[in-house]
Short mmCIF file of all heavy atoms in Angstrom, two decimals:
data_model
loop_
_atom_site.label_atom_id
_atom_site.label_comp_id
_atom_site.label_asym_id
_atom_site.label_seq_id
_atom_site.Cartn_x
_atom_site.Cartn_y
_atom_site.Cartn_z
N PHE A 44 -90.10 -158.66 -15.08
CA PHE A 44 -91.01 -157.66 -14.63
C PHE A 44 -90.29 -156.57 -13.87
O PHE A 44 -90.64 -155.35 -13.89
CB PHE A 44 -92.10 -158.23 -13.80
CG PHE A 44 -93.20 -157.23 -13.40
CD1 PHE A 44 -93.85 -156.55 -14.45
CD2 PHE A 44 -93.59 -157.00 -12.13
CE1 PHE A 44 -94.87 -155.59 -14.15
CE2 PHE A 44 -94.53 -156.11 -11.74
CZ PHE A 44 -95.17 -155.40 -12.77
N TYR A 45 -89.25 -156.95 -13.23
CA TYR A 45 -88.44 -155.90 -12.43
C TYR A 45 -87.78 -154.89 -13.45
O TYR A 45 -87.92 -153.69 -13.15
CB TYR A 45 -87.32 -156.67 -11.63
CG TYR A 45 -86.54 -155.71 -10.75
CD1 TYR A 45 -87.06 -155.23 -9.56
CD2 TYR A 45 -85.27 -155.33 -11.14
CE1 TYR A 45 -86.33 -154.37 -8.71
CE2 TYR A 45 -84.50 -154.46 -10.29
CZ TYR A 45 -85.05 -153.96 -9.11
OH TYR A 45 -84.36 -153.07 -8.37
N ALA A 46 -87.18 -155.39 -14.45
CA ALA A 46 -86.61 -154.47 -15.44
C ALA A 46 -87.65 -153.58 -16.07
O ALA A 46 -87.45 -152.38 -16.34
CB ALA A 46 -85.76 -155.19 -16.44
N TYR A 47 -88.84 -154.20 -16.38
CA TYR A 47 -89.94 -153.44 -17.02
C TYR A 47 -90.40 -152.40 -16.02
O TYR A 47 -90.65 -151.20 -16.53
CB TYR A 47 -91.00 -154.41 -17.22
CG TYR A 47 -92.36 -153.83 -17.75
CD1 TYR A 47 -92.55 -153.47 -19.08
CD2 TYR A 47 -93.39 -153.61 -16.78
CE1 TYR A 47 -93.78 -152.97 -19.50
CE2 TYR A 47 -94.63 -153.11 -17.18
CZ TYR A 47 -94.84 -152.78 -18.57
OH TYR A 47 -95.93 -152.21 -18.99
N SER A 48 -90.55 -152.63 -14.85
CA SER A 48 -91.01 -151.63 -13.82
C SER A 48 -89.95 -150.66 -13.38
O SER A 48 -90.26 -149.47 -13.04
CB SER A 48 -91.57 -152.34 -12.63
OG SER A 48 -92.65 -153.23 -12.98
N CYS A 49 -88.66 -151.05 -13.38
CA CYS A 49 -87.63 -150.23 -12.73
C CYS A 49 -86.43 -149.85 -13.59
O CYS A 49 -85.56 -149.18 -13.18
CB CYS A 49 -87.13 -150.97 -11.46
SG CYS A 49 -88.30 -151.21 -10.18
N GLY A 50 -86.45 -150.36 -14.86
CA GLY A 50 -85.27 -150.08 -15.66
C GLY A 50 -84.99 -148.57 -15.84
O GLY A 50 -83.83 -148.17 -15.85
N GLY A 51 -86.00 -147.75 -16.05
CA GLY A 51 -85.82 -146.35 -16.18
C GLY A 51 -85.30 -145.73 -14.88
O GLY A 51 -84.45 -144.83 -14.88
N TRP A 52 -85.82 -146.17 -13.80
CA TRP A 52 -85.34 -145.66 -12.53
C TRP A 52 -83.91 -146.00 -12.26
O TRP A 52 -83.15 -145.12 -11.80
CB TRP A 52 -86.14 -146.33 -11.33
CG TRP A 52 -85.95 -145.72 -10.04
CD1 TRP A 52 -86.72 -144.70 -9.44
CD2 TRP A 52 -84.88 -145.94 -9.17
NE1 TRP A 52 -86.18 -144.24 -8.28
CE2 TRP A 52 -85.00 -145.04 -7.98
CE3 TRP A 52 -83.80 -146.80 -9.13
CZ2 TRP A 52 -84.20 -144.96 -6.90
CZ3 TRP A 52 -82.86 -146.70 -8.02
CH2 TRP A 52 -83.12 -145.89 -7.00
N GLN A 53 -83.42 -147.20 -12.62
CA GLN A 53 -82.07 -147.59 -12.46
C GLN A 53 -81.13 -146.71 -13.33
O GLN A 53 -80.06 -146.33 -12.90
CB GLN A 53 -81.90 -149.07 -12.81
CG GLN A 53 -82.52 -149.98 -11.77
CD GLN A 53 -82.26 -151.44 -12.15
OE1 GLN A 53 -82.71 -151.93 -13.14
NE2 GLN A 53 -81.45 -152.12 -11.34
N ARG A 54 -81.52 -146.44 -14.55
CA ARG A 54 -80.71 -145.56 -15.34
C ARG A 54 -80.56 -144.15 -14.91
O ARG A 54 -79.53 -143.52 -15.00
CB ARG A 54 -81.25 -145.59 -16.81
CG ARG A 54 -81.03 -146.80 -17.61
CD ARG A 54 -81.41 -146.69 -19.11
NE ARG A 54 -82.78 -146.38 -19.32
CZ ARG A 54 -83.71 -147.29 -19.50
NH1 ARG A 54 -83.33 -148.53 -19.47
NH2 ARG A 54 -84.97 -147.01 -19.76
N ARG A 55 -81.68 -143.63 -14.29
CA ARG A 55 -81.69 -142.20 -13.86
C ARG A 55 -81.19 -142.01 -12.42
O ARG A 55 -81.14 -140.90 -11.97
CB ARG A 55 -83.11 -141.70 -14.06
CG ARG A 55 -83.58 -141.64 -15.50
CD ARG A 55 -85.09 -141.50 -15.54
NE ARG A 55 -85.53 -140.26 -14.88
CZ ARG A 55 -86.70 -140.10 -14.33
NH1 ARG A 55 -87.54 -141.17 -14.27
NH2 ARG A 55 -87.11 -138.95 -13.70
N ASN A 56 -80.93 -143.09 -11.72
CA ASN A 56 -80.55 -142.97 -10.34
C ASN A 56 -79.26 -143.74 -10.03
O ASN A 56 -79.29 -144.82 -9.30
CB ASN A 56 -81.72 -143.47 -9.43
CG ASN A 56 -82.92 -142.57 -9.48
OD1 ASN A 56 -82.91 -141.60 -8.66
ND2 ASN A 56 -83.84 -142.83 -10.30
N PRO A 57 -78.14 -143.18 -10.47
CA PRO A 57 -76.88 -143.84 -10.09
C PRO A 57 -76.71 -143.80 -8.49
O PRO A 57 -77.33 -142.90 -7.84
CB PRO A 57 -75.86 -142.98 -10.77
CG PRO A 57 -76.48 -141.63 -10.94
CD PRO A 57 -77.95 -141.98 -11.20
N ILE A 58 -75.87 -144.70 -7.95
CA ILE A 58 -75.58 -144.70 -6.56
C ILE A 58 -74.83 -143.43 -6.15
O ILE A 58 -73.69 -143.26 -6.67
CB ILE A 58 -74.95 -146.00 -6.17
CG1 ILE A 58 -75.72 -147.20 -6.61
CG2 ILE A 58 -74.67 -146.01 -4.64
CD1 ILE A 58 -74.97 -148.57 -6.44
N PRO A 59 -75.28 -142.68 -5.21
CA PRO A 59 -74.44 -141.53 -4.79
C PRO A 59 -73.12 -142.04 -4.12
O PRO A 59 -73.18 -143.18 -3.59
CB PRO A 59 -75.35 -140.84 -3.72
CG PRO A 59 -76.74 -141.25 -4.09
CD PRO A 59 -76.57 -142.62 -4.58
N PRO A 60 -72.08 -141.31 -4.19
CA PRO A 60 -70.74 -141.81 -3.70
C PRO A 60 -70.78 -142.15 -2.24
O PRO A 60 -69.94 -142.95 -1.79
CB PRO A 60 -69.84 -140.67 -4.03
CG PRO A 60 -70.69 -139.49 -4.22
CD PRO A 60 -71.96 -139.97 -4.77
N ASP A 61 -71.58 -141.52 -1.39
CA ASP A 61 -71.62 -141.87 0.01
C ASP A 61 -72.53 -143.08 0.41
O ASP A 61 -72.60 -143.44 1.57
CB ASP A 61 -72.05 -140.67 0.87
CG ASP A 61 -73.59 -140.32 0.62
OD1 ASP A 61 -73.90 -140.09 -0.56
OD2 ASP A 61 -74.29 -140.23 1.57
N GLN A 62 -73.22 -143.65 -0.67
CA GLN A 62 -74.16 -144.76 -0.40
C GLN A 62 -73.56 -146.02 -0.88
O GLN A 62 -72.78 -146.13 -1.88
CB GLN A 62 -75.46 -144.43 -1.13
CG GLN A 62 -76.19 -143.17 -0.70
CD GLN A 62 -76.71 -143.29 0.70
OE1 GLN A 62 -77.29 -144.32 1.06
NE2 GLN A 62 -76.59 -142.19 1.43
N THR A 63 -73.97 -147.11 -0.24
CA THR A 63 -73.57 -148.49 -0.66
C THR A 63 -74.63 -149.13 -1.58
O THR A 63 -74.34 -150.10 -2.22
CB THR A 63 -73.28 -149.40 0.51
OG1 THR A 63 -74.53 -149.49 1.32
CG2 THR A 63 -72.20 -148.80 1.41
N SER A 64 -75.81 -148.58 -1.55
CA SER A 64 -76.85 -148.86 -2.53
C SER A 64 -77.76 -147.67 -2.61
O SER A 64 -77.59 -146.77 -1.80
CB SER A 64 -77.67 -150.17 -2.00
OG SER A 64 -78.25 -149.85 -0.76
N TRP A 65 -78.64 -147.78 -3.54
CA TRP A 65 -79.61 -146.65 -3.78
C TRP A 65 -80.81 -147.16 -4.24
O TRP A 65 -80.90 -148.05 -5.14
CB TRP A 65 -79.01 -145.64 -4.81
CG TRP A 65 -79.66 -144.34 -4.86
CD1 TRP A 65 -80.15 -143.69 -6.01
CD2 TRP A 65 -79.87 -143.40 -3.79
NE1 TRP A 65 -80.64 -142.44 -5.69
CE2 TRP A 65 -80.40 -142.24 -4.32
CE3 TRP A 65 -79.60 -143.39 -2.46
CZ2 TRP A 65 -80.76 -141.10 -3.52
CZ3 TRP A 65 -79.84 -142.34 -1.60
CH2 TRP A 65 -80.53 -141.16 -2.28
N SER A 66 -81.96 -146.85 -3.59
CA SER A 66 -83.27 -147.45 -3.86
C SER A 66 -84.30 -146.33 -3.66
O SER A 66 -84.12 -145.30 -3.17
CB SER A 66 -83.51 -148.61 -2.90
OG SER A 66 -83.55 -148.04 -1.52
N VAL A 67 -85.57 -146.76 -4.06
CA VAL A 67 -86.70 -145.92 -3.77
C VAL A 67 -86.82 -145.57 -2.27
O VAL A 67 -86.96 -144.39 -1.86
CB VAL A 67 -88.00 -146.55 -4.32
CG1 VAL A 67 -89.25 -145.78 -3.81
CG2 VAL A 67 -88.00 -146.51 -5.84
N TYR A 68 -86.61 -146.56 -1.48
CA TYR A 68 -86.67 -146.36 -0.01
C TYR A 68 -85.57 -145.49 0.43
O TYR A 68 -85.74 -144.58 1.23
CB TYR A 68 -86.61 -147.71 0.75
CG TYR A 68 -87.99 -148.28 1.05
CD1 TYR A 68 -89.03 -148.31 0.16
CD2 TYR A 68 -88.20 -148.91 2.28
CE1 TYR A 68 -90.27 -148.85 0.49
CE2 TYR A 68 -89.47 -149.48 2.65
CZ TYR A 68 -90.46 -149.38 1.71
OH TYR A 68 -91.63 -149.95 2.04
N GLY A 69 -84.32 -145.80 -0.11
CA GLY A 69 -83.12 -144.97 0.30
C GLY A 69 -83.32 -143.53 -0.11
O GLY A 69 -82.92 -142.62 0.58
N LYS A 70 -83.80 -143.30 -1.36
CA LYS A 70 -83.93 -141.93 -1.84
C LYS A 70 -85.01 -141.19 -1.06
O LYS A 70 -84.88 -140.02 -0.72
CB LYS A 70 -84.32 -142.06 -3.33
CG LYS A 70 -84.50 -140.67 -4.07
CD LYS A 70 -84.74 -140.92 -5.54
CE LYS A 70 -84.75 -139.52 -6.26
NZ LYS A 70 -86.02 -138.84 -5.99
N THR A 71 -86.11 -141.92 -0.72
CA THR A 71 -87.12 -141.30 0.08
C THR A 71 -86.64 -140.93 1.45
O THR A 71 -86.90 -139.83 1.97
CB THR A 71 -88.33 -142.18 0.14
OG1 THR A 71 -88.83 -142.56 -1.19
CG2 THR A 71 -89.54 -141.57 0.90
N ALA A 72 -85.89 -141.85 2.10
CA ALA A 72 -85.30 -141.60 3.42
C ALA A 72 -84.33 -140.41 3.30
O ALA A 72 -84.35 -139.53 4.25
CB ALA A 72 -84.60 -142.78 3.90
N THR A 73 -83.63 -140.26 2.28
CA THR A 73 -82.65 -139.16 2.15
C THR A 73 -83.40 -137.85 2.02
O THR A 73 -83.02 -136.85 2.54
CB THR A 73 -81.67 -139.40 0.96
OG1 THR A 73 -80.92 -140.51 1.26
CG2 THR A 73 -80.68 -138.21 0.77
N GLU A 74 -84.47 -137.89 1.17
CA GLU A 74 -85.28 -136.67 1.11
C GLU A 74 -85.89 -136.29 2.31
O GLU A 74 -86.04 -135.03 2.70
CB GLU A 74 -86.34 -136.87 -0.02
CG GLU A 74 -85.75 -136.99 -1.39
CD GLU A 74 -86.71 -137.37 -2.48
OE1 GLU A 74 -87.88 -137.81 -2.17
OE2 GLU A 74 -86.42 -137.26 -3.71
N ASN A 75 -86.31 -137.25 3.16
CA ASN A 75 -86.84 -136.99 4.53
C ASN A 75 -85.72 -136.36 5.35
O ASN A 75 -85.95 -135.40 6.08
CB ASN A 75 -87.35 -138.24 5.23
CG ASN A 75 -88.71 -138.65 4.73
OD1 ASN A 75 -89.25 -138.02 3.84
ND2 ASN A 75 -89.12 -139.84 5.18
N PHE A 76 -84.56 -136.82 5.28
CA PHE A 76 -83.40 -136.31 5.95
C PHE A 76 -83.15 -134.82 5.61
O PHE A 76 -82.84 -134.00 6.40
CB PHE A 76 -82.14 -137.15 5.74
CG PHE A 76 -82.02 -138.32 6.73
CD1 PHE A 76 -83.05 -138.74 7.42
CD2 PHE A 76 -80.78 -138.92 6.88
CE1 PHE A 76 -82.99 -139.83 8.32
CE2 PHE A 76 -80.65 -140.01 7.79
CZ PHE A 76 -81.77 -140.46 8.52
#
Side-chain angles (χ1 to χ4, degrees):
F44 188 56
Y45 184 77
Y47 172 82
S48 301
C49 293
W52 191 97
Q53 289 182 296
R54 286 192 295 272
R55 296 164 58 211
N56 288 275
I58 304 174
D61 67 305
Q62 300 289 319
T63 60
S64 63
W65 195 234
S66 64
V67 168
Y68 266 43
K70 184 173 182 288
T71 304
T73 296
E74 290 172 347
N75 284 358
F76 273 18

